[in-house]
Amino acid sequence: DIVMTQSPDSLAVSLGERATINCQSSQSVLYSSNNKNSLAWYQQKPGQPPKLLIYWASTRESGVPDRFSGSGSGTDFTLTISSLQAEDVAVYSCQQYYSGPYTFGQGTKLEIK
Amino acid sequence: EVQLVESGGGLVKPGGSLRLSCAASGFTFTSAWMSWVRQAPGKGLEWVGRIKSKSNGGTTDYAAPVKGRFTVSRDDSKNTLYLQMSSLQSEDTAVYYCSAEYYGSLKYWGQGTLVTVSS
C-alpha cells in the first residue's frame, strides 16, 4: 500500500498569513498515461464531512477560493493557503488515488495563531 | 443538487453484522464509482472499499482491515449504495461516509452514519 505522510501534524498561522501543508507518498503517484499526479486534498471542519479542495494535485475544485492552491509531483506535494481566513480553520488531509487501496495522510490541524 | 444520505448505523455487539445504505440523487448514479470511507472518533480518514460502475465491470476493492468481512454493493434501480459489515470488532467503530468518485478523488460526500461496536 502507498503510505501518505503529512507534515506538520498541526499548524498555527496568523490571519492573512500563508499556511503550507506538506504531503509525501511512499511511491510516485504520477500517472504516466495522462502525466497527472493522482493526489487530492480535503478540508474537514468539526462535525462535517470532508470537502474536496484539490484534485490531480493542483486542480482546484469548483467553488474553492483561489487562495487555496496545490503543487508538487511524484512523491512530494504541498497545499498552500495564501492568506489565511478565519473560516479556513479545519483539518486538511491528502489522499492518493494512484493505486488501490486509496490511502489518506494522517491529517494536519490548522488553527489561528 | 447532489445528495448522498447514509442510513443504517447504530450500536452493534462485537461479532455482529450491520448493513449501511447510501441513497444518491442529483447525479448519474449508474455511471458513478462509489466509495465508503470511515473515520474513527478523533482519528483520520480511512478508505474502506469501492465499487465501480456496472459499465466498468461493477468490481469491488477493499482495504486490508475489512477484506473478507465487508461487502460493497449497489442497486442502480434504486440509486443506492450498500455496505454489508459482518464480524464487527471494536476497531470498526467509526462514522461511515459514502462518497462519489471523480477519477479516484472523492468529489461528493454524505453526512455520515455512526457505527458503534460495543458489548
Side-chain angles (χ1 to χ4, degrees), chain A residues 40 42 44 47-52 55-56 61 93 95 97 101-102 104-106, chain B residues 35 37 39 44-47 50 63 97 101-107 109-111:
Chain A
Y42 300 88
Q44 188 176 23
Q48 296 184 19
K51 173 187 174 183
L52 177 64
Y55 57 96
W56 296 132
E61 172 70 335
S93 300
Q95 175 230 346
Y97 47 97
Y102 298 161
F104 290 90
Q106 78 275 20
Chain B
S35 275
V37 176
Q39 187 168 36
L45 301 167
E46 180 184 24
W47 182 81
R50 183 265 305 279
Y97 298 100
E101 296 187 21
Y102 176 75
Y103 291 101
S105 64
L106 303 170
K107 186 176 178 71
W109 295 72
Q111 289 297 312

Side-chain angles (χ1 to χ4, degrees), chain B residues 20-100:
Chain B
L20 306 183
S21 300
C22 171
S25 61
F27 65 101
T28 307
F29 181 77
T30 52
S31 303
W33 294 24
M34 300 294 297
S35 275
W36 286 97
V37 176
R38 68 184 180 183
Q39 187 168 36
K43 302 296 185 183
L45 301 167
E46 180 184 24
W47 182 81
V48 171
R50 183 265 305 279
I51 187 165
K52 297 180 181 179
S53 62
K54 289 219 168 29
S55 61
N56 288 106
T59 55
T60 53
D61 299 284
Y62 300 94
V66 308
K67 199 167 188 178
R69 300 189 298 124
F70 289 13
T71 301
V72 180
S73 62
R74 64 193 299 157
D75 185 338
D76 288 350
S77 69
K78 296 181 179 179
N79 281 4
T80 301
L81 176 73
Y82 300 101
L83 180 65
Q84 178 69 48
M85 304 184 292
S86 61
S87 303
L88 283 162
Q89 308 159 3
S90 58
E91 307 87 85
D92 298 315
T93 293
V95 174
Y96 284 74
Y97 298 100
C98 69
S99 177

Side-chain angles (χ1 to χ4, degrees), chain A residues 15-92:
Chain A
L15 289 172
E17 296 299 305
R18 178 185 299 258
T20 301
I21 299 169
N22 300 302
C23 176
Q24 187 171 59
S25 56
S26 60
Q27 65 186 75
S28 176
V29 298
L30 178 60
Y31 201 43
S32 56
S33 65
N34 62 5
N35 201 36
K36 294 183 177 183
N37 291 278
S38 301
L39 189 285
W41 288 97
Y42 300 88
Q43 175 193 65
Q44 188 176 23
K45 298 180 179 180
Q48 296 184 19
K51 173 187 174 183
L52 177 64
L53 295 177
I54 303 280
Y55 57 96
W56 296 132
S58 61
T59 302
R60 202 178 300 116
E61 172 70 335
S62 175
V64 172
D66 61 7
R67 63 180 180 274
F68 290 90
S69 63
S71 62
S73 185
T75 61
D76 293 285
F77 301 91
T78 300
L79 175 70
T80 302
I81 307 172
S82 60
S83 176
L84 189 70
Q85 305 299 303
E87 61 266 31
D88 300 334
V89 169
V91 174
Y92 293 85

